[in-house]
Amino acid sequence: MSFTVAIIGRPNVGKSTLFNRLVGKKLALVDDTPGVTRDRREGDARIGSLKFRVIDTAGLEEAFDDSLEGRMRQQTERALEEADVALMLYDARLGVTPMDSHFADWIRKSSVPVILCANKCEGKDAHAELHDAYSLGLGDPVAVSAEHGEGMGELFDLLLPYEREQEEDIPAKDRPLQLAIVGRPNAGKSTLVNKIIGEDRLLTGPEAGVTRDAISVEWEHEGQKIKLVDTAGIRRRARVQKKLEKLSVADSLRVIKMAEVVVLVIDADVSFEKQDLTIAAHVINEGRALVVAVNKWDIVKDRNAMLQHIRDKLQVSLPQVRGVPVVTMSALTGRGLEKLIPQVLRVYELWNKRISTAQLNRWLEGMLERHPPPMVKGRRLKVRYMTQVKSRPPTFSLFMSSRGELPEAYIRYLINGLREDFDMPAVPIRISPRTGKNPYAKD
């Protein structure tokens, strides 16, 4: 399992019911009587494609001695120590109780990230009372119903980053590159996958919408393992009416979320449409690296004009990512295909790029000298230092000694500087301003 989740909370809030829901089996005893669960119980859990290890715990009690309740609490504390993230449940029907508040204070002192879950939210009345949860100081509550399986999609989105953090610890050469092939219907996605792997693995045809499910294919290129995922065509939302197509589109969007690099296939016969840009923007917003593949290039008459048109559209519509590679090719004949995978591997390397804190702060000093931060309420914002907190995509924290919101325009100035000075085209770059003491400063 890629990461570990501990379910905690006071007695009788539905922890074991949620545990059973996540593991897909009735492994834990469930009853209205408080305190049924006493030991830790572990299982292999799954939400959609997300797999993890989950630990069910006894209800938290205010007992610190050698009594049964005290020993149960110790088991819960050990589960929390093992976890990468904790789900703290409370009963949304009853609202926040003093015991919930007490244990929220306790868990905030832990270094383990916490997701607050408002359980038993199968009715509208329970949703209306969620504002009480903010008093716990654990962020936005997630409305779930462990008994009925509601809210699992929201829980998937919140747990997904922990899987990605675990994946970062695995050397890139030892894991397959997750490559999604997306685009509008009939752009040639399945034909492209078949040509890449050298066999008719996927069903193709002139009809739009032949592919309905996301189909994954394992492949290897010069020693690099690649998991290719073909997806259903994504049309404009207003045109998607049938339930089956809605499910197919939702599956395609899920594949984008799980991908590392996304190849957006464009049909050169119908030019570069607004829907292509919508898909591209979605890829970038999800933090994925992007490569544009212009298919059916062999039938284009004025190639220079077409290529310039596509690049201009990308420049205007996606200013947050400059230098997205555009590969012209024919999936049917294979012409130009030899340029696609090298571009994919190049943006994948950039997507994983890390910059040392020393390099960053030497660079930051020059950027601040050229354009100091703006004035806010008569005082100039003071930027102290910068560090990269993660890759995939490159994400940076910018620490400031004075409070005040750094304007979006100044953040864009820093992002553009990072992209140019550290050669990071085509991938999203994120900067999060923070206030706090500089740990690198000398006392």
Side-chain angles (χ1 to χ4, degrees), residues 43-118:
D44 295 340
R46 179 172 183 167
I47 305 177
S49 59
L50 189 64
K51 298 179 181 180
F52 51 94
R53 175 170 162 258
V54 64
I55 306 175
D56 184 24
T57 64
L60 286 165
E61 300 276 5
E62 293 188 74
F64 298 90
D65 52 18
D66 290 331
S67 65
L68 176 61
E69 290 78 11
R71 297 197 302 274
M72 288 161 56
R73 181 192 176 100
Q74 290 173 9
Q75 288 290 324
T76 299
E77 290 175 345
R78 289 173 189 166
L80 193 60
E81 290 173 0
E82 294 178 19
D84 297 295
V85 58
L87 304 181
M88 178 172 172
L89 266 65
Y90 81 97
D91 188 336
R93 291 178 184 172
L94 295 178
V96 175
T97 68
M99 189 175 289
D100 291 320
S101 300
H102 173 78
F103 290 119
D105 292 339
W106 169 72
I107 198 171
R108 279 203 308 270
K109 298 174 184 177
S110 167
S111 60
V112 178
V114 182
I115 297 173
L116 180 62
C117 296

Side-chain angles (χ1 to χ4, degrees), residues 359-367 386 414 417-418 421-422:
Q359 279 183 294
L360 271 176
N361 285 284
R362 285 195 296 269
W363 167 84
L364 180 63
E365 186 177 350
M367 295 292 286
M386 189 177 193
L414 294 176
L418 280 169
D421 295 336
F422 291 101

Side-chain angles (χ1 to χ4, degrees), residues 413-425:
Y413 159 69
L414 294 176
I415 289 175
N416 291 336
L418 280 169
R419 194 178 302 284
E420 182 175 344
D421 295 336
F422 291 101
D423 188 25
M424 292 193 292

Side-chain angles (χ1 to χ4, degrees), residues 368 371-383 400-404 406 410:
L368 296 175
H371 294 287
M375 304 282 284
V376 174
K377 295 181 181 180
R379 298 179 61 184
R380 188 170 298 281
L381 293 174
K382 293 182 180 179
V383 177
M400 297 157 37
S401 60
S402 55
R403 294 191 175 275
L406 197 63
Y410 198 80

Side-chain angles (χ1 to χ4, degrees), residues 288-428:
R288 310 300 96 188
L290 177 65
V291 176
V292 174
V294 186
N295 191 24
K296 307 179 185 178
W297 192 246
D298 48 340
I299 64 174
V300 175
K301 294 181 179 178
D302 192 345
R303 297 181 176 180
N304 289 333
M306 170 69 78
L307 195 57
Q308 190 59 47
H309 170 71
I310 292 171
R311 285 174 173 161
D312 288 345
K313 283 277 191 179
L314 288 170
Q315 181 73 17
V316 172
S317 302
L318 299 173
Q320 67 271 39
V321 282
R322 297 179 180 176
V324 172
V326 178
V327 178
T328 57
M329 42 153 266
S330 169
L332 190 62
T333 66
R335 186 174 180 182
L337 199 61
E338 72 281 356
K339 299 177 291 184
L340 180 61
I341 299 302
Q343 288 287 7
V344 166
L345 295 177
R346 175 173 172 267
V347 298
Y348 177 63
E349 183 179 351
L350 293 173
W351 192 65
N352 283 278
K353 188 167 185 173
R354 281 196 172 273
I355 306 170
S356 72
T357 300
Q359 279 183 294
L360 271 176
N361 285 284
R362 285 195 296 269
W363 167 84
L364 180 63
E365 186 177 350
M367 295 292 286
L368 296 175
E369 286 179 359
R370 281 195 291 272
H371 294 287
M375 304 282 284
V376 174
K377 295 181 181 180
R379 298 179 61 184
R380 188 170 298 281
L381 293 174
K382 293 182 180 179
V383 177
R384 286 198 163 185
Y385 78 107
M386 189 177 193
T387 187
Q388 184 171 359
V389 292
K390 65 184 291 257
S391 58
R392 306 163 59 84
T395 304
F396 304 86
S397 283
L398 187 68
F399 286 82
M400 297 157 37
S401 60
S402 55
R403 294 191 175 275
E405 186 173 348
L406 197 63
E408 188 65 32
Y410 198 80
I411 294 176
R412 284 200 304 271
Y413 159 69
L414 294 176
I415 289 175
N416 291 336
L418 280 169
R419 194 178 302 284
E420 182 175 344
D421 295 336
F422 291 101
D423 188 25
M424 292 193 292
V427 296

Side-chain angles (χ1 to χ4, degrees), residues 109-149:
K109 298 174 184 177
S110 167
S111 60
V112 178
V114 182
I115 297 173
L116 180 62
C117 296
N119 193 27
K120 307 181 184 179
C121 278
E122 52 269 21
K124 293 182 179 179
D125 292 341
H127 281 76
E129 299 300 325
L130 291 185
H131 61 273
D132 289 346
Y134 289 96
S135 65
L136 297 175
L138 296 174
D140 296 332
V142 184
V144 301
S145 171
E147 185 174 355
H148 299 279

Side-chain angles (χ1 to χ4, degrees), residues 270-284:
V270 292
S271 188
F272 201 34
E273 294 190 346
K274 183 179 179 181
Q275 179 62 6
D276 295 315
L277 291 169
T278 301
I279 298 171
H282 181 76
V283 171
I284 298 304

